[in-house]
Amino acid sequence: MIIDQINNAHLYYTVHAKFKRAFDYIHQIDVNSIPVGRYEIDGENMYALVQEYNTKLKEQGFWEAHRRYIDLQYVVQGAEGMGYANLNHLQQGEYDAKKDFLPLFGEGDLVTLKSGCFVLLLPEFKYPFHLC
C-alpha cells in the first residue's frame, strides 16, 4: 500500500511498468468534470472507474482483495476512509475470479485520504476496507 499526493506521482513511475501511463491518464483528464463511468485506457488491461458517492459508516464497509488488478485510487474532492490489514490477519471468503473479488473478514487499521491524495493497492498485499 502506497499513499501519497498526486504531485508526487512521478516518484512511483519505476515501481511498475504501467504506473506512468495510469498517472498520465489522471493528469490528462479534467478530473473535476469527467462524467461518472468506466473509461478504457488499455482495454481490460487498464481502465478507469470514475465514481462519485458519499462515504459509508465504518460498520457498513467491507474488506476486499484482488488477485489480478492493481488499484490506483485518487481522491479528487472530499475524503475517503479506507482500511488496511495484512491478508494473514483476515479470514478469506470465496474468491470470484470473474470479478477478481475476494471478500475478507476481520479487523484492521483505518486511514483517511483527502483531496489530492492517491493510494496504490497491489495484489500481493491489497486488502482495503472501503467506506464507499
Side-chain angles (χ1 to χ4, degrees), residues 2 9 11-23 45-46 68-70 120 122-124:
I2 298 170
L11 299 173
Y12 305 95
Y13 290 175
T14 59
V15 173
H16 189 282
K18 294 186 179 186
F19 284 0
K20 182 178 184 322
R21 187 166 184 189
F23 283 117
N45 296 319
M46 184 184 301
R68 289 190 348 244
Y69 287 102
I70 296 171
L120 281 164
L122 306 175
E124 292 79 10

Side-chain angles (χ1 to χ4, degrees), residues 21-119:
R21 187 166 184 189
F23 283 117
D24 284 350
Y25 181 81
I26 292 171
H27 290 301
Q28 291 169 1
I29 62 171
D30 182 352
V31 295
N32 293 303
S33 65
I34 187 170
V36 169
R38 178 184 164 125
Y39 298 88
E40 290 190 3
I41 301 168
D42 182 20
E44 288 295 313
N45 296 319
M46 184 184 301
Y47 57 88
L49 293 176
V50 177
Q51 301 172 316
E52 184 175 303
Y53 49 81
N54 292 321
T55 300
K56 293 180 192 175
L57 297 173
K58 176 183 174 184
E59 296 77 27
Q60 297 171 318
F62 57 90
W63 294 96
E64 70 175 74
H66 303 282
R67 293 182 178 164
R68 289 190 348 244
Y69 287 102
I70 296 171
D71 271 355
L72 165 56
Q73 297 185 19
Y74 173 55
V75 178
V76 175
Q77 68 180 42
E80 173 78 21
M82 185 177 291
Y84 169 82
N86 186 286
L87 180 62
N88 295 324
H89 300 170
L90 300 172
Q91 292 183 343
Q92 296 184 30
E94 184 77 23
Y95 177 68
D96 183 338
K98 185 176 180 179
K99 295 180 181 179
D100 187 32
F101 178 81
L102 175 65
L104 300 160
F105 308 94
E107 299 294 323
D109 299 310
L110 295 178
V111 296
T112 301
L113 279 74
K114 297 182 180 177
S115 298
C117 289
F118 70 86
V119 61

